Amino acid sequence: MTTISLCMIVKNEEEVLARCLDAIRDLMDEIIIVDTGSVDRTKEIAQRYTGQVYDFRWIDDFSAARNFAFSKASCEYIYSADADEVLDEENREKFRLLKQTLLPEVEIVQMYYGNQLSHGTVYNFDKELRPKLFKRQREFRWIEPVHETVRLLPVVFDSDIEITHKPHDSHADRDLAIFGNLTGKGEPLSDRLFTMYARELLISGDEEQLKGAEDFFTRAADGVNTGLEQMKEALCVVVRAARVRKDDLKMYRYAMKGVTDEGISEVCFELGEYYLQQKDYEEATIWYYNAAYETASILNIHTGGDLPLQRLAQCYETLGDQDQAAKYKEAAREWASQMRD
């Protein structure tokens, strides 16, 4: 049977750590918990489950902490879990079966990560496959009968195991602080992190966080070397930040860049918000309608769905058109229901 090391990094997780560990402890052959600076009872709880509890000085780098945790593992595979995850009984049995039948050539097992839309996370989908189980020592093999080469891509197995995500609070402040430190030091962001920074600002960022990021995204929006997708993402942040600051000229100037061609739901939604604040409800309905029906979202799927639909209902109620208001309220409910299915 496959042996598995559980590797976790934690900080101030006293509310959820036991719940997570109780669901998976009997499936693991080794439990390794790395604490990055808890000031609550997290370490005390962790020590009830394992003698392998380590301290790691937090350096604003999740990869460094996870690599440290992985370095302590000794089993064939490593399972990476977060403290706010839960594995229910059905999926515990699926995991147990996987452990009994996992083929040794598999190097990564992906599992579904679910319940994303229920807790204000920065994801636009309720369920996605994520790599969760990793072979600790990779074996390199030669492939091809002629012009032979070493297989570089890992062997990945997509399981049907679903992990339920149940965070007890938002991690946005922590994540946005890390992003701010990186960009403040002038460090470049990968395309993936650029997108995640923009998305987290739009979904979870407050006014001060938007202001702090505005210059970075303005430079990206104006940059001659900025790719098209990054430029669009930057526009979404700049338009939101300028509207919040009541810099109408800047908001409108960058919004116009975002409504050419196919347009962007996030930008149309911000224009709707602007006209709603101005109490120009008829103009607001035009932009909310464009956000909901004529454009696609690139960062926050809600700006192309339930958010503008709810705003349309609000505008029509104010305008005295109760039939239209009811229509859009129902449309918003249907959209939200479809996202959960």
Side-chain angles (χ1 to χ4, degrees):
M1 183 184 294
T2 301
T3 60
I4 301 176
S5 299
L6 170 65
C7 287
M8 302 178 68
I9 59 172
V10 297
K11 183 178 180 180
N12 297 333
E13 300 286 6
E14 66 177 6
E15 294 183 29
V16 295
L17 181 57
R19 181 186 67 187
C20 173
L21 291 171
D22 285 341
I24 56 177
R25 64 188 301 183
D26 62 318
L27 300 170
M28 302 296 140
D29 300 280
E30 179 179 53
I31 297 176
I32 295 158
I33 299 178
V34 172
D35 187 273
T36 62
S38 294
V39 294
D40 62 2
R41 296 174 50 251
T42 295
K43 287 178 65 176
E44 176 189 332
I45 294 169
Q47 287 164 351
R48 298 176 192 166
Y49 295 85
T50 178
Q52 295 192 70
V53 179
Y54 301 92
D55 291 310
F56 182 84
R57 184 176 63 85
W58 180 241
I59 55 173
D60 279 356
D61 190 330
F62 283 96
S63 292
R66 291 201 189 277
N67 286 335
F68 176 77
F70 275 34
S71 75
K72 301 297 182 181
S74 62
C75 293
E76 297 168 280
Y77 285 82
I78 298 172
Y79 180 60
S80 179
D82 291 327
D84 55 9
E85 298 175 5
V86 178
L87 203 63
D88 63 24
E89 195 57 40
E90 177 184 355
N91 287 287
R92 276 172 40 80
E93 289 307 310
K94 291 179 180 179
F95 199 119
R96 198 184 310 278
L97 180 61
L98 173 72
K99 186 175 179 180
Q100 294 171 350
T101 59
L102 185 61
L103 298 175
E105 58 265 31
V106 173
E107 294 167 324
I108 295 176
V109 177
Q110 296 204 116
M111 301 177 186
Y112 284 102
Y113 210 65
N115 203 40
Q116 291 287 72
L117 295 177
S118 299
H119 294 277
T121 63
V122 297
Y123 297 96
N124 285 325
F125 31 77
D126 202 44
K127 185 167 73 171
E128 65 162 340
L129 278 170
R130 288 190 184 182
K132 295 294 292 180
L133 189 65
F134 306 85
K135 194 165 190 179
R136 186 172 63 85
Q137 292 183 323
R138 187 177 182 193
E139 299 172 353
F140 287 95
R141 296 181 183 275
W142 290 91
I143 58 174
E144 309 294 4
V146 65
H147 298 300
E148 66 278 9
T149 187
V150 172
R151 178 177 54 78
L152 299 177
L153 295 176
V155 177
V156 179
F157 171 66
D158 293 342
S159 76
D160 62 349
I161 297 170
E162 182 172 344
I163 300 156
T164 302
H165 186 213
K166 289 187 175 181
H168 59 89
D169 57 21
S170 172
H171 298 151
D173 287 346
R174 176 201 66 191
D175 295 347
L176 290 171
I178 294 173
F179 280 124
N181 289 336
L182 288 172
T183 57
K185 291 186 291 188
E187 296 188 18
L189 299 183
S190 66
D191 290 351
R192 174 178 170 272
L193 284 185
F194 187 97
T195 299
M196 293 301 294
Y197 189 16
R199 178 174 293 147
E200 196 143 13
L201 280 166
L202 286 192
I203 294 176
S204 305
D206 61 25
E207 185 170 335
E208 290 305 312
Q209 289 162 337
L210 281 163
K211 289 178 181 178
E214 185 176 354
D215 285 348
F216 171 77
F217 283 100
T218 299
R219 289 193 298 271
D222 292 337
V224 295
N225 295 320
T226 303
L228 179 60
E229 293 306 312
Q230 284 191 331
M231 186 270 289
K232 290 180 178 179
E233 292 166 355
L235 288 176
C236 295
V237 176
V238 174
V239 171
R240 164 76 67 83
R243 180 184 65 78
V244 167
R245 289 193 301 103
K246 302 188 184 305
D247 186 342
D248 299 346
L249 179 61
K250 182 176 183 180
M251 180 209 70
Y252 206 80
R253 181 158 58 90
Y254 282 86
M256 289 305 98
K257 294 183 179 182
V259 297
T260 57
D261 299 327
E262 302 93 357
I264 306 167
S265 289
E266 286 84 349
V267 172
C268 291
F269 181 77
E270 289 303 320
L271 286 168
E273 294 286 270
Y274 169 76
Y275 285 110
L276 180 65
Q277 290 173 343
Q278 302 301 311
K279 298 185 179 181
D280 187 344
Y281 302 109
E282 291 184 350
E283 185 69 19
T285 62
I286 294 172
W287 292 107
Y288 288 135
Y289 185 91
N290 274 280
Y293 295 110
E294 301 296 336
T295 56
S297 61
I298 60 174
L299 290 170
N300 181 1
I301 195 170
H302 293 278
T303 61
D306 55 342
L307 289 181
L309 293 169
Q310 290 166 0
R311 286 289 199 258
L312 281 165
Q314 179 183 342
C315 288
Y316 279 111
E317 278 188 338
T318 304
L319 291 167
D321 191 336
Q322 300 304 321
D323 289 341
Q324 285 288 82
K327 167 188 169 183
Y328 287 115
K329 284 181 181 179
E330 180 58 27
R333 284 193 291 268
E334 289 179 0
W335 188 92
S337 176
Q338 290 172 2
M339 289 297 297
R340 289 191 295 269
D341 291 342

